[in-house]
Amino acid sequence: MVEGAGKRAVILGAGVAGLATALRLAEGGGWRPRLLEREDRPGGLARSLHFRGVSTDLGPHRIHTEIPEVQALIESVAARSLVRLRRSSHIFLRKKWLTYPPRPLELLGALGPIRMARFGTGFALEKLRPRPAQETYESLMRAAFGGPLWEFLLRPYSAKTWKIDPGELHADTARVRVSAGSLGKLVAGLLRREQQGAETALREFRYVKGGAETLVRHLWAAAHAAGAELELNTAVQELELDERGRVRAALALRRPAHGTAEGADQRFEGELFVSTVPLPILLGRLLPQRAELMAAREAAARLEYLDMAFVCLIVRRKVITGDNWLYFPEPHLIFNRGYEAKSFDPAMAPEDKSVICLEITMRRGDALARESDALILQTATEHIVSTGLFRKEEIEEGLVYRIPYAYPLYKLDYDVQLGKVLAGLRGLGNLVTLGRQGLFNHNNMDHSIWMGLQAADKLNSYETAEAVAAWYDRADDFKRMRIVD
């Protein structure tokens, strides 16, 4: 860093993006990073849940990356904890369990030759249609899979997952997230293997024994050894702006420690601020309100995130399915996807039990989001039992865990609104926002780590204002990262 050693960097959020940023800043020697985390442990979205002697990730955080820098970091901090697994996944469709991604011959047996012929004809006809002037998620998916398959399977699954009419989703949703690639690729998969680096779904992946929090512990240990500090149970209430419009301090409330009656107000001053919190929250914390941030604040309010509820069930079986991922596209089932923790690491549950976690997306304020945990648990239990995976009497216990702002919702105008937000934040001169929530970016865990490393490299190499400007100049690059399911 050019400006002199030991400057203070305040990082909001100790998820993998924040931890990677802190580690690289501390290694550079010019910054003294301090992480502020509202929870009682680091990890953010990459956390594990423990109850009644079992453990499960909140979202199955497999280790797979096409970014050499991230691969090298993970190897350096967690090599002894990594295991290699062969992927096993199924999809529940029309009361049948099919391999996922679907195999055409398997689909043929499940759906019949007439329906499959319609899928093929529809795919061919779609190739003859002129492309619309403005692509949407729906238009790209139709082009990739054909109208009949889109209407039969992909439209209802998309509406169920994103809780919005698929015609109102931006095309970027399809560009980064299509697991099967296209109907053509699906068929080609019968004839040849996908080339490395062009996979549309993983065949093998690595996992950190003990769950995502093991990697988080390794990242934090490395960051701490390099000189970073961590404040837990510390919720930022305000980012105080000075007379020039730069961030001067983070004002936080430290949650009461066990056995104490009150929390304590804290003030953390710094020359640099890095945020990984959701953009509407970030813009609301920048005070006093300034006219030049008004457009950014209004745009942030138009950005919408999906909340998620995780229904975790302990089942009295050694193994439920052995699958890593289970997919539930049909609308009558409340959950979109499930996973069995022991299929990633057998030590996640006792030998005679297993735990399955079911993901439910919801839009803030909708009827589902307002339902009680008890009703969501009851409904999810009835629905998963109806699939035949196990009997209700085999369930020992269940719970519901909710995560707000879990995933950005790419509505048609999201890129316009996001551009206004980032333009406003750029003008502050000493604040960088990154990560899935902080950059409103569909990504995997390795992408968030890479964002932290890239931001820190710039901040270690240039004057702060120059580095911040360079960061926002390349924000669009992260929209091109490809998600491999």
Side-chain angles (χ1 to χ4, degrees), residues 136-139 141-142 145-169 329 331:
T136 66
Y137 174 82
E138 180 170 359
S139 69
M141 293 292 280
R142 276 184 171 275
F145 295 95
L149 181 55
W150 163 253
E151 295 293 345
F152 172 75
L153 176 62
L154 301 174
R155 172 188 276 279
Y157 199 10
S158 299
K160 176 183 178 180
T161 299
W162 299 108
K163 299 297 187 286
I164 191 173
D165 187 305
E168 299 176 31
L169 285 170

Side-chain angles (χ1 to χ4, degrees), residues 392-403:
K392 187 173 183 178
E393 54 267 28
E394 292 181 281
I395 300 173
E396 182 173 294
E397 190 165 346
L399 62 75
V400 176
Y401 191 95
R402 302 190 190 220
I403 294 183

Side-chain angles (χ1 to χ4, degrees), residues 299-327:
R302 296 188 180 99
L303 293 175
E304 186 175 351
Y305 296 73
L306 290 178
D307 295 348
M308 291 190 73
F310 296 84
V311 177
C312 301
L313 302 173
I314 300 176
V315 180
R316 288 188 292 270
R317 283 193 185 184
K318 291 183 178 181
V319 176
I320 300 171
T321 68
D323 281 328
N324 311 120
W325 287 272
L326 301 169
Y327 297 90

Side-chain angles (χ1 to χ4, degrees), residues 134-203:
Q134 181 179 359
E135 296 279 14
T136 66
Y137 174 82
E138 180 170 359
S139 69
L140 285 182
M141 293 292 280
R142 276 184 171 275
F145 295 95
L149 181 55
W150 163 253
E151 295 293 345
F152 172 75
L153 176 62
L154 301 174
R155 172 188 276 279
Y157 199 10
S158 299
K160 176 183 178 180
T161 299
W162 299 108
K163 299 297 187 286
I164 191 173
D165 187 305
E168 299 176 31
L169 285 170
H170 195 282
D172 286 348
T173 311
R175 292 187 179 113
V176 301
R177 292 198 62 88
V178 176
S179 295
S182 70
L183 186 60
K185 288 185 178 181
L186 197 63
V187 174
L190 283 175
L191 307 177
R192 55 179 170 79
R193 292 179 62 91
E194 293 177 298
Q195 296 179 348
Q196 186 174 2
E199 300 95 341
T200 51
L202 294 176
R203 297 176 183 270

Side-chain angles (χ1 to χ4, degrees), residues 404-460:
Y405 298 97
Y407 232 96
L409 181 60
Y410 282 5
K411 294 189 288 188
L412 289 176
D413 68 340
Y414 96 93
D415 53 341
V416 175
Q417 306 305 333
L418 181 58
K420 293 177 182 178
V421 172
L422 298 184
L425 295 177
R426 177 189 179 125
L428 298 174
N430 71 332
L431 184 144
V432 164
T433 184
L434 48 80
R436 177 190 292 183
Q437 296 170 316
L439 206 53
F440 203 77
N441 182 259
H442 284 197
N443 67 11
N444 290 138
M445 183 168 63
D446 60 313
H447 301 141
S448 287
I449 292 173
W450 191 53
M451 286 183 191
L453 298 178
Q454 291 290 296
D457 283 344
K458 284 181 169 44
L459 292 159
N460 283 334

Side-chain angles (χ1 to χ4, degrees), residues 38 232-238 251-256 262-266 268:
R38 66 179 296 123
L232 296 174
N233 299 308
T234 302
V236 173
Q237 306 296 308
E238 177 183 337
L251 309 182
L253 179 65
R254 190 185 298 275
R255 209 163 56 198
E262 296 182 357
D265 292 326
Q266 301 283 315
F268 300 94

Side-chain angles (χ1 to χ4, degrees), residues 179-323:
S179 295
S182 70
L183 186 60
K185 288 185 178 181
L186 197 63
V187 174
L190 283 175
L191 307 177
R192 55 179 170 79
R193 292 179 62 91
E194 293 177 298
Q195 296 179 348
Q196 186 174 2
E199 300 95 341
T200 51
L202 294 176
R203 297 176 183 270
E204 289 186 346
F205 61 94
R206 293 199 293 179
Y207 188 73
V208 183
K209 290 184 291 186
E213 69 177 18
T214 302
L215 177 60
V216 168
R217 285 198 300 268
H218 287 308
L219 284 173
W220 164 237
H224 183 55
E229 300 177 65
L230 173 62
E231 307 285 346
L232 296 174
N233 299 308
T234 302
V236 173
Q237 306 296 308
E238 177 183 337
L239 290 175
E240 180 183 280
L241 301 178
D242 64 18
E243 61 282 354
R244 297 176 299 162
R246 291 168 63 90
V247 184
R248 177 165 49 201
L251 309 182
L253 179 65
R254 190 185 298 275
R255 209 163 56 198
H258 181 69
T260 62
E262 296 182 357
D265 292 326
Q266 301 283 315
R267 179 184 177 87
F268 300 94
E269 296 186 348
E271 288 70 52
L272 169 69
F273 292 81
V274 178
S275 174
T276 66
V277 304
L279 290 171
I281 295 178
L282 173 62
L283 270 293
R285 297 285 192 267
L286 291 166
L287 297 170
Q289 295 188 10
R290 299 175 65 91
E292 54 268 34
L293 284 175
M294 188 61 67
R297 186 174 287 110
E298 291 174 352
R302 296 188 180 99
L303 293 175
E304 186 175 351
Y305 296 73
L306 290 178
D307 295 348
M308 291 190 73
F310 296 84
V311 177
C312 301
L313 302 173
I314 300 176
V315 180
R316 288 188 292 270
R317 283 193 185 184
K318 291 183 178 181
V319 176
I320 300 171
T321 68
D323 281 328

